Amino acid sequence: MSQPSQQDEIMAEQATVRQEAAGIEPVSEARGLSQGQIVRKRFLGHSGAIAGLAVFAIIFVMAFTSVGYAGIPGWWKYTHVAVSPLVNDGAPTASLWPLAWGEHPFGQDRIGRDLFAMTMRGAQQSITIMVVIGLIAGLIGVVVGALSGYFRGWMEAVLMRLTDVIIIVPALLLAAVMAQLAGRRDEGSWFAAFASSNGVLALGIFLGLISWVGLARLMRGEFLTLREREFVDAARISGASNARIIFKHILPNAVGVLIVNVTLTMSAAILTETALSYLGVGVKSPDTSLGLLISQNQEAFATRPWLFWFPGLFIVLICLSINFIGDGLRDAFDPRQKKFNAKKATDAGTTLPEATPVAALDSRAEDSSANDGRTTGGDRGA
């Protein structure tokens, strides 16, 4: 094999300089990295996703360790149902200056329940509902969208008509019916027995079963487009099975749409639970959730605003952190996403690094070509 000439080396160096000046990562930096390492590097380089992950992790740890979960006691001394005498007339005892936590940092409601304990319990329930809805809706949406978009024909017709039927039925109406069935105490109803003892889980499963339709339509559109691409034809000609084509070739290229829609669905789940609790068909007392806390304390907004502030703040933080995490995961998993700095690219048109200017490299390339020509001519003369 012939060794690369000086001109080839100069041209390669010139291409690298132009890529760095335009803000594009050279391909050589990713050489030797596995797919998992590339994904991890991209995700860790997304500042918004890291900030969202940190905020969500703090909220998650506080919610599930402070007041306990599944019979495991927590480190906070009050529970969401414990009543104690009012301290500071129920106002928050926490302060930034001087820095103090106090007996009831988030305050108390009118009957003396600790708002911090209720908020942490509400965050537990809201996060549980959010995760259950995201898993169920994501799984069903991907399966329905992939099958209908890839196989077409009668399978697409049946699955899309099923999707249309679920879309036209109002979710709140179905939730009201579910709550009515769950309220029945007859022993012959297995659904009533399950919902009465697992209200939050039942609500999450129900909402997940009706929240997949948007994702299914989006995934169907992605599969309709990607199934006609050249790499799918190449995989089909090489003898790959339908399952391998779907999961190894098409789905990785549609993962950006999948992740964004699932995270949006999870964020909307908290708002949906808030609306259901407001109508009295969501999480019910003596249990609580962030939506139920806002519904119960909306009338006290003028006199005791902290009862409304803290649950609302946690809803906003959870929704924003999930959206930021989803944005970072989309950029990390989607192979079509490339880092490009428009400002550096614009500046590269007029200013290049002084250490290795492209003009100097061009002149070196021309000199090398001239020298090669003279050498070749001399050899022929000889």
Side-chain angles (χ1 to χ4, degrees):
M1 182 181 295
S2 61
Q3 297 295 327
S5 63
Q6 183 181 5
Q7 182 179 1
D8 294 335
E9 295 177 356
I10 294 174
M11 296 302 293
E13 184 179 357
Q14 179 181 354
T16 302
V17 171
R18 285 175 175 169
Q19 287 181 348
E20 293 177 349
I24 305 175
E25 293 182 353
V27 179
S28 59
E29 293 185 3
R31 188 174 300 166
L33 296 179
S34 65
Q35 182 65 24
Q37 291 173 330
I38 295 174
V39 169
R40 183 167 58 252
K41 180 180 178 181
R42 288 179 176 178
F43 181 78
L44 295 178
H46 197 290
S47 57
I50 297 301
L53 182 62
V55 171
F56 182 76
I58 292 173
I59 295 176
F60 185 88
V61 172
M62 287 181 58
F64 284 88
T65 62
S66 58
V67 294
Y69 185 74
I72 302 176
W75 50 266
W76 188 241
K77 52 187 173 182
Y78 297 106
T79 64
H80 66 284
V81 295
V83 178
S84 59
L86 290 178
V87 177
N88 196 23
D89 196 25
T93 58
S95 62
L96 294 177
W97 189 263
L99 186 62
W101 187 250
E103 186 74 10
H104 301 281
F106 288 4
Q108 298 171 277
D109 63 2
R110 286 170 292 185
I111 63 176
R113 291 178 298 183
D114 182 67
L115 185 61
F116 177 80
M118 291 191 294
T119 303
M120 294 300 103
R121 176 62 177 177
Q124 283 184 9
Q125 305 296 67
S126 297
I127 291 175
T128 302
I129 293 175
M130 178 187 68
V131 172
V132 172
I133 291 176
L135 292 177
I136 295 178
L139 179 61
I140 299 178
V142 169
V143 172
V144 172
L147 294 179
S148 60
Y150 183 79
F151 291 104
R152 304 295 301 273
W154 64 269
M155 184 174 295
E156 180 186 18
V158 172
L159 293 177
M160 287 299 101
R161 298 299 76 76
L162 174 63
T163 303
D164 294 338
V165 170
I166 297 179
I167 286 177
I168 63 177
V169 179
L172 294 180
L173 178 61
L174 291 177
V177 174
M178 185 206 70
Q180 183 66 25
L181 293 176
R184 297 173 56 185
R185 299 299 180 182
D186 54 314
E187 298 180 357
S189 176
W190 65 270
F191 178 78
F194 175 77
S196 60
S197 58
N198 303 276
V200 174
L201 184 60
L203 181 61
I205 294 175
F206 170 77
L207 292 177
L209 292 176
I210 62 176
S211 302
W212 54 268
V213 289
L215 176 60
R217 283 177 169 269
L218 290 174
M219 293 302 295
R220 170 181 170 270
E222 286 291 310
F223 270 72
L224 286 175
T225 302
L226 294 173
R227 71 189 294 269
E228 306 298 335
R229 300 286 293 273
E230 292 80 1
F231 65 88
V232 175
D233 293 335
R236 189 180 292 112
I237 293 174
S238 64
S241 62
N242 291 328
R244 181 174 180 83
I245 293 175
I246 291 175
F247 291 104
K248 294 293 185 180
H249 298 281
I250 300 181
L251 192 58
N253 288 276
V255 72
V257 175
L258 170 63
I259 291 177
V260 171
N261 190 270
V262 169
T263 52
L264 290 177
T265 301
M266 294 172 68
S267 299
I270 298 181
L271 303 179
T272 303
E273 184 273 324
T274 302
L276 293 175
S277 298
Y278 181 82
L279 296 176
V281 294
V283 179
K284 297 182 179 180
S285 183
D287 209 342
T288 188
S289 68
L290 296 177
L292 184 60
L293 288 175
I294 291 179
S295 175
Q296 292 175 339
N297 298 313
Q298 61 176 341
E299 297 180 356
F301 181 76
T303 57
R304 294 173 176 263
W306 57 85
L307 298 177
F308 189 90
W309 285 346
F310 291 106
L313 176 63
F314 272 79
I315 289 178
V316 172
L317 290 177
I318 293 175
C319 291
L320 287 179
S321 61
I322 292 297
N323 286 336
F324 283 135
I325 294 173
D327 190 30
L329 289 174
R330 179 200 61 191
D331 294 346
F333 279 100
D334 194 346
R336 293 170 294 181
Q337 295 288 332
K338 293 181 176 62
K339 289 185 178 182
F340 182 78
N341 193 320
K343 183 176 183 300
K344 288 184 178 181
T346 303
D347 296 341
T350 56
T351 304
L352 292 173
E354 296 180 1
T356 54
V358 172
L361 293 174
D362 290 337
S363 62
R364 287 166 58 187
E366 294 174 357
D367 295 340
S368 176
S369 300
N371 292 332
D372 292 343
R374 287 194 299 268
T375 303
T376 304
D379 293 340
R380 287 198 302 265

